[in-house]
Amino acid sequence: MAAILDIDLLRTFQAVVRLGKFSAAAEQLHKSPAAVSVHIQRLEAIAGGRLLDRDNQAISLTALGKRLLNSTSSLLRVHDQALADLHGTHLVGRITLGVPDEYATHVIQDILPTFTAAWPNVVLELKTAPSDTLKAWVGRGTLQVAVIAQPKGELGPVTQILTSTTPVWVGPAHSALACSDPLPLAVHAVQCPYRQAMIGALKVAGRRSRIVLESTSNQAVKACVEAGLAISLIDRGRVTERMQILEGLPVIADYDIVLMRSAASQEEEAVDRLAQAIQQGFRL
């Protein structure tokens, strides 16, 4: 009898690849880690070889795994669309979602593919902008939902905490820019809360500064720091090997990463589902 590719096994495989960890895939799929391992083993038996190389730190695709991933991604999308059409999926609508640049990659790559596969009749429109801009857009109803960064404890009636983060001062790995006078800064756009925190804290501390780079791009700010041109303020978890955390500069309080919804979206089921997916994605 010819082998059959089980959709449930393929969905587990793609979740493991997308999230990079068996435990994360298990939580997203509401399965135990042991069940995820069994699914991968069964799929490897069908495929005829190892699909993943894994150690304690990460997983990577084997050549066979890459072939399977490329050949079955469209199969899963077609399957989910056909099932939705057969069942007359009730969840429809259009959602405008706002995300700051520094979290856009996480949302786009790790959260939205699963959501769109589950709810194919919901149309998503994504906008990136600084947190304060996104917050204003939600208030005006231009966006239905947004991920924003704001000082810890600054909650409103339609916000939910996704995670907390510690901002740290960073400079290039092998440089003493923190001793410069004035301090060379790489800053985000005017509406970015980290920009405001940087400039305000330095002013209070009596440290002179000059802006070397002003950009809406998180990658541009990182590149400027890594190149040795400036210092900046970023999340502790986003410090790269080409940076060092700087001591002796004003301490910046923690920030909350929150999900903010417009008042009009509170009764929309599609937005409820997206909010749940974003919350789960940030927990992982």
Side-chain angles (χ1 to χ4, degrees):
M1 180 178 177
I4 297 175
L5 283 172
D6 187 307
I7 290 295
D8 200 28
L9 301 185
L10 292 176
R11 199 179 303 284
T12 299
F13 170 64
Q14 295 221 358
V16 170
V17 173
R18 185 174 62 254
L19 297 172
K21 293 183 179 179
F22 277 53
S23 58
E27 183 170 350
Q28 184 175 90
L29 297 169
H30 305 292
K31 300 180 186 296
S32 68
V36 170
S37 294
V38 169
H39 277 203
I40 297 300
Q41 292 169 7
R42 288 171 57 189
L43 192 56
E44 287 179 333
I46 294 171
R50 181 176 290 278
L51 300 171
L52 301 168
D53 289 324
R54 46 196 182 272
D55 55 34
N56 292 332
Q57 301 299 321
I59 65 165
S60 59
L61 284 165
T62 64
L64 181 61
K66 291 177 182 178
R67 285 170 51 197
L68 183 67
L69 181 68
N70 292 335
S71 61
T72 58
S73 295
S74 59
L75 174 62
L76 269 181
R77 287 194 297 269
V78 171
H79 169 272
D80 291 341
Q81 183 62 61
L83 200 60
D85 292 342
L86 286 172
H87 290 174
T89 302
H90 70 281
L91 194 63
V92 297
R94 182 181 298 272
I95 302 176
T96 52
L97 166 66
V99 185
D101 179 71
E102 57 266 39
Y103 298 106
T105 299
H106 174 46
V107 172
I108 292 170
Q109 293 184 349
D110 302 331
I111 298 174
L112 296 187
T114 302
F115 177 82
T116 55
W119 309 107
N121 293 328
V122 175
V123 177
L124 282 175
E125 294 180 359
L126 185 66
K127 298 180 184 293
T128 61
S131 288
D132 285 0
T133 299
L134 296 175
K135 188 173 183 178
W137 287 350
V138 172
R140 294 199 299 264
T142 304
L143 296 176
Q144 291 156 288
V145 60
V147 175
I148 66 170
Q150 62 183 24
K152 197 170 184 63
E154 188 182 291
L155 285 178
V158 287
T159 56
Q160 297 168 297
I161 296 177
L162 299 173
T163 188
S164 295
T165 184
T166 300
V168 293
W169 293 94
V170 292
H174 305 292
S175 176
L177 283 183
C179 299
S180 302
D181 185 22
L183 287 169
L185 303 181
V187 300
H188 290 87
V190 174
Q191 300 88 348
C192 176
Y194 278 14
R195 175 197 176 116
Q196 298 166 11
M198 290 169 65
I199 295 176
L202 291 175
K203 184 176 181 180
V204 170
R207 294 293 302 269
R208 296 195 307 155
S209 63
R210 63 184 180 89
I211 294 177
V212 173
L213 171 75
E214 179 178 15
S215 175
T216 58
S217 168
N218 188 57
Q219 291 303 317
V221 170
K222 283 186 175 181
C224 191
V225 172
E226 291 177 342
L229 301 177
I231 68 172
S232 192
L233 189 72
I234 67 172
D235 293 346
R236 180 179 291 275
R238 297 177 184 274
V239 178
T240 70
E241 293 180 354
R242 298 177 62 187
M243 299 176 182
Q244 62 173 318
I245 297 177
L246 304 176
E247 306 294 340
L249 291 172
V251 175
I252 306 297
D254 285 358
Y255 274 67
D256 286 327
I257 310 304
V258 306
L259 187 73
M260 175 172 283
R261 295 178 57 171
S262 67
S265 74
Q266 297 304 302
E267 304 299 324
E268 297 184 23
E269 184 181 356
V271 180
D272 289 341
R273 298 287 186 177
L274 178 60
Q276 291 168 7
I278 292 174
Q279 285 180 294
Q280 183 180 48
F282 271 84
R283 283 203 307 273
L284 297 175

